[in-house]
Amino acid sequence: MKTNQITFKVAKVSDSSAKAFGIAVASEGALAKEVGMTRDQLTALGFEGKLGQTLVLPNSKKQLTIAVGIGEAAKADEDVMRTAAAALARAASNVSSLTTTLASAGRGDRTAIAQAVTEGLILATHRYNDLKTDKKATSKLISVLIVAPAAMSTAITKGVKRGETIAEAVCFARDLANMPPAHLTAKMIADRALKVGAESDIAVEVFNKDQLLAMGCGGMIGVNRGSVNPPRMVKISYQPGGLKTAAKLSAKKSSAKSKTKLPHLILVGKGVMYDSGGISLKPSNSDHAMMKADMSGAAAVLATMSTLKKLGCKNQVTAYMMCTDNLPSGSAMAMGDVLTMRNGKTVEIHNTDAEGRLVLADGLSLAAELKPDAIVDIATLTGACLRALGPQMSGVLGNNQPFVDQVVAAAKSTDEQTWQLPLERKYRSLIDSYIADMKNVGGPDAGAITAALFLDEFTSGTPWAHLDIAGPMWSDSDAGWLQRGATAYGTRLLISLAENFKTP
Ligand code: BES
Ligand code: MN
Ligand code: ZN
């Protein structure tokens, strides 16, 4: 698995050896100098400088010049520049090297702009092609020279580095989610997490089926019952300063209740490696074919954790990946079965396809036991959320408005959109069971909300937010910085949340 294929360099001057030169269309002066044309001439060629528009022109050095529209220059923030960079990368997909001034265009913090440009270039060219014999559809772009005016070069260099780290993580999560069920079982993703741990100075512990049984994780065991592949729960711990500091801290734990306790955030990811629905078997349509990506939450969580050391995250972050597939068989969980979950609550199964909440329940219980300052879970949880909000945004629900606000802010700052839905307690009765503490489904109405109300039963009142990513987990086409297939939505959002997290 090779993720990002582009090598980046930042140079204070333009390098004439580059084969293509992408420039942002902002001012008339730049047009005349870099493109060698006036705006009128470009307009005559149909290029108006609209965001995402590109025009490829030959230049005097027998290279290509690519004009990239950034729209109204005054509005060219990180989101705009990420989108423009993605358009440039698509236009340059037939050349191997590119020089661009894009990182010095746009408005706002220069590091943030350079980061966004780098993200756009990488995300729009990445493709999971391990299983293609012919790699033709892949972008040829392998080297990018970012031109930086001297005064901006420190900020731009920093942004490019951050962008590379973050986009690399997104590509990694996309690859995991695009992998077919047989290519990535629960055990395999856990092994992958161990490898990431060794590379990223984070502690990774893997729990197998016997351990999950012993821990009373009835949700994980119940969902896994139909599968020949055993489940895995992966716990990942990041401590600023790395593993050595973490070891020292835990040795000192009993002494001096440290006043310097860092804000502690826990991420919980749904890792359903393949969701067939189980006994409540899904029909064989394209939605079902997408269910290899039902571990997109866990992938986003793992990818996020892989970046924290490199980015110098100042908060303590712990993660749980709840990994198993959901399959029908003679041993599978049946309708009417009652599971006893990690926190002791009992759940009557009314639809084996509502499995995500069962594995998340155990993850949330384990997270709450650590008494963190907040928990966020991320899950491809309900078709209802996809119906309500479509593929462009996730739904967010939670029990603590200041923390939900932090999640919404992280979504805004990364252009991974979200929309808050109400955690309406009046709907709690929809998941009442006459035999157990609750049912695992609430009927046809307000499906995203009843799913969240179910999850809330396992948070023990810890500030918590739930991201339902059933909509944006998948893209049907190559568009902007998205590529067809699994999107790894939430990776950049969670990284931003982890970096900026404050105890709510
Ligand atoms: N993984 C699915 C939800 C899903 C659907 C994600 C479409 C992405 C795209 C989840 O496990 C599921 O099957 N949910 C059911 C719940 C229902 C049975 C209450 C659903 O939404 O239909
Ligand atoms: Mn399901
Ligand atoms: Zn599912």
Side-chain angles (χ1 to χ4, degrees):
M1 189 158 78
K2 174 120 175 57
T3 54
N4 162 42
Q5 59 172 6
I6 305 176
T7 308
F8 283 83
K9 268 192 216 145
V10 179
K12 288 185 197 173
V13 286
S14 68
D15 179 347
S16 58
S17 69
K19 298 227 174 63
F21 195 92
I23 70 143
V25 172
S27 67
E28 189 74 20
L31 290 181
K33 186 162 142 270
E34 310 287 9
V35 188
M37 281 192 198
T38 64
R39 187 173 290 276
D40 282 348
Q41 285 172 314
L42 287 176
T43 307
L45 289 169
F47 180 85
E48 300 152 288
K50 281 194 191 135
L51 175 57
Q53 206 182 6
T54 55
L55 183 67
V56 182
L57 299 156
N59 69 21
S60 53
K61 294 171 201 148
K62 290 189 185 160
Q63 298 167 343
L64 300 174
T65 296
I66 305 173
V68 189
I70 60 169
E72 223 177 292
K75 289 186 185 154
D77 61 3
E78 295 100 278
D79 295 358
V80 165
M81 296 311 291
R82 189 183 295 104
T83 301
L88 172 60
R90 292 190 190 287
S93 67
N94 272 320
V95 299
S96 60
S97 67
L98 171 72
T99 299
T100 179
T101 55
L102 219 51
S104 53
R107 291 291 155 94
D109 176 65
R110 203 37 57 192
T111 301
I113 295 285
Q115 177 188 324
V117 165
T118 307
E119 289 172 0
L121 291 168
I122 295 174
L123 296 180
T125 48
H126 163 265
R127 201 176 295 282
Y128 174 67
N129 61 8
D130 284 5
L131 305 177
K132 287 262 192 204
T133 47
D134 181 359
K135 318 276 183 202
K136 218 163 40 205
T138 306
S139 168
K140 295 192 182 74
L141 190 58
I142 52 167
S143 123
V144 172
L145 188 70
I146 304 267
V147 178
M152 295 177 176
S153 74
T154 310
I156 287 181
T157 303
K158 188 178 167 208
V160 170
K161 281 220 181 79
R162 282 181 54 83
E164 281 190 279
T165 300
I166 292 167
E168 185 80 41
V170 175
C171 295
F172 174 55
R174 282 183 185 174
D175 284 353
L176 292 175
N178 277 319
M179 287 170 85
H183 287 71
L184 192 71
T185 62
K187 181 184 182 303
M188 289 168 171
I189 200 174
D191 290 344
R192 200 64 75 111
L194 286 168
K195 198 168 151 248
V196 169
E199 291 160 1
S200 323
D201 201 19
I202 44 178
V204 177
E205 290 168 84
V206 175
F207 298 80
N208 64 22
K209 185 172 177 176
D210 289 341
Q211 290 166 308
L212 289 166
L213 262 168
M215 291 163 81
C217 291
M220 282 290 280
I221 297 296
V223 172
N224 183 252
R225 259 170 50 190
S227 181
V228 294
N229 288 121
R232 289 289 187 274
M233 193 261 288
V234 182
K235 180 182 178 188
I236 312 176
S237 314
Y238 167 80
Q239 189 83 46
L243 288 172
K244 280 188 191 145
T245 319
K248 268 190 231 154
L249 280 177
S250 69
K252 274 198 290 187
K253 203 160 56 183
S254 48
S255 66
K257 259 196 179 173
S258 74
K259 282 173 208 156
T260 56
K261 190 188 163 297
L262 296 167
H264 183 197
L265 173 68
I266 302 193
L267 321 176
V268 180
K270 170 175 171 181
V272 173
M273 308 309 296
Y274 163 55
D275 179 13
S276 71
I279 293 294
S280 314
L281 191 62
K282 287 181 187 292
S284 300
N285 56 25
S286 59
D287 272 9
H288 186 164
M290 206 159 75
M291 286 302 126
K292 63 176 184 180
D294 209 20
M295 33 55 75
S296 291
V301 162
L302 175 58
T304 298
M305 297 305 286
S306 77
T307 65
L308 299 181
K309 174 74 190 300
K310 267 196 202 157
L311 298 175
C313 175
K314 302 247 169 32
N315 295 308
Q316 186 189 344
V317 187
T318 306
Y320 289 95
M321 296 161 60
M322 312 306 288
C323 305
T324 173
D325 37 25
N326 182 27
L327 286 163
S329 81
S331 61
M333 184 169 73
M335 299 283 283
D337 266 342
V338 173
L339 308 179
T340 302
M341 316 298 276
R342 166 74 185 180
N343 75 350
K345 291 192 183 180
T346 56
V347 177
E348 185 188 4
I349 304 304
H350 272 236
N351 190 325
T352 65
D353 199 8
E355 86 298 340
R357 63 198 74 186
L358 301 173
V359 303
L360 288 172
D362 288 336
L364 291 170
S365 300
L366 290 163
E369 286 168 28
L370 297 183
K371 303 207 178 309
D373 297 299
I375 304 172
V376 60
D377 78 73
I378 176 161
T380 47
L381 205 63
T382 66
C385 199
L386 167 61
R387 289 287 164 278
L389 300 175
Q392 291 296 336
M393 68 197 78
S394 65
V396 61
L397 304 95
N399 62 5
N400 179 294
Q401 195 56 44
F403 183 51
V404 171
D405 291 343
Q406 289 189 40
V407 174
V408 170
K412 280 219 171 76
S413 75
T414 52
D415 201 17
E416 292 195 317
Q417 291 189 71
T418 194
W419 190 259
Q420 187 175 2
L421 298 171
L423 190 70
E424 178 51 65
R425 306 277 175 194
K426 282 180 184 156
Y427 295 152
R428 172 59 183 78
S429 61
L430 294 173
I431 56 169
D432 283 350
S433 159
Y434 84 102
I435 189 176
D437 296 334
M438 67 199 99
K439 295 189 294 188
N440 75 327
V441 286
D445 298 332
I449 300 174
T450 52
L453 286 165
F454 179 95
L455 297 178
D456 186 44
E457 295 286 329
F458 303 90
T459 59
S460 301
T462 312
W464 155 77
H466 157 61
L467 280 165
D468 191 331
I469 62 166
M473 57 88 95
W474 195 264
S475 175
D476 286 333
S477 60
D478 296 347
W481 41 266
L482 288 176
Q483 292 285 66
R484 182 174 175 183
T487 60
Y489 172 97
T491 307
R492 291 188 300 104
L493 186 163
L494 289 178
I495 292 169
S496 166
L497 181 69
E499 283 196 288
N500 300 306
F501 177 64
K502 305 252 172 344
T503 299

